[in-house]
Amino acid sequence: MKYKGEKGYIQYKKLTQSLVVLVFVAAGLSIFFICREILGTGRNLGTVFAVLLTLPAAKALVNLLLFIPYQPIPEELSAKLNEVLLPTDKAYYEMVFTSTERVMHLDFLCVRGNQLIAYLINGKNTEKITSYFEASLKKRGEDVHMHVFRKEEELLRRLKSCEGGEASEEVQEFVRMILVK
């Protein structure tokens, strides 16, 4: 089982949601056809139950569609990142989270002191992500600086040159909070 923020989470989520959709569709169709065959009509309680199974199937399908555009972080990049991380760093991979306005994605996030250093392989929402994190943490009384990089070299250079430090409990709590949703 993979948790949000762990490497491999996106692939895990795609697989599990696909299986959940498949199970609900198969169960609904099976119940419908078995009840229709046994009772000789489609007007029965089995049909109602089969139709009700479409609700959790639709929810799982929406979750699956949410994750389809995102790809897992490459192994080579993950190995490079692990080499430059400090022992006090908190690192999160493959984050998909929502604000009130949109779904956002970060391939990598490192919490180092009052710095949030992030990486986004594909995507255009770097300003939106930065403003979301900074504004949310400012409401919590935390002064952080977030940098979202789109180039691997710049990310690695920043991680190598940036001073270390313990992340505040409030910043860590905020990141855990957006991972739980």
Side-chain angles (χ1 to χ4, degrees), residues 13 38 42 50 59 71 98-99 113 115 131 167:
K13 192 70 171 175
I38 290 173
K59 182 179 179 191
Q71 299 302 316
T98 58
S99 71
Q115 302 273 334
S131 65

Side-chain angles (χ1 to χ4, degrees), residues 36-97:
R36 192 178 79 177
E37 189 65 32
I38 290 173
L39 299 173
T41 179
R43 295 180 178 193
N44 58 57
L45 210 49
T47 301
V48 172
F49 188 64
V51 168
L52 288 176
L53 283 177
T54 61
L55 297 172
K59 182 179 179 191
L61 182 61
V62 167
N63 267 334
L64 175 62
L65 293 174
L66 179 79
F67 280 88
I68 284 179
Y70 306 116
Q71 299 302 316
I73 190 167
E75 287 290 329
E76 308 83 46
L77 177 59
S78 155
K80 289 178 188 176
L81 290 169
N82 288 333
E83 288 175 13
V84 297
L85 289 174
L86 300 176
T88 57
D89 290 345
K90 302 292 182 203
Y92 304 93
Y93 297 88
E94 303 176 14
M95 297 174 61
V96 177
F97 53 96

Side-chain angles (χ1 to χ4, degrees), residues 4 6-7 9-10 13 21 24 59 67 71 77-79 96 104 116 126-128 133 140 146 154 157 164 172:
K4 290 182 180 182
E6 283 185 39
K7 197 174 125 0
Y9 175 72
I10 289 177
K13 192 70 171 175
V21 169
F24 277 118
K59 182 179 179 191
F67 280 88
Q71 299 302 316
L77 177 59
S78 155
V96 177
M104 294 177 275
L116 298 175
T126 58
E127 296 85 19
K128 298 282 186 188
F133 271 87
R140 294 171 167 254
M146 181 158 191
E154 292 174 357
R157 189 175 328 116
Q172 292 180 44

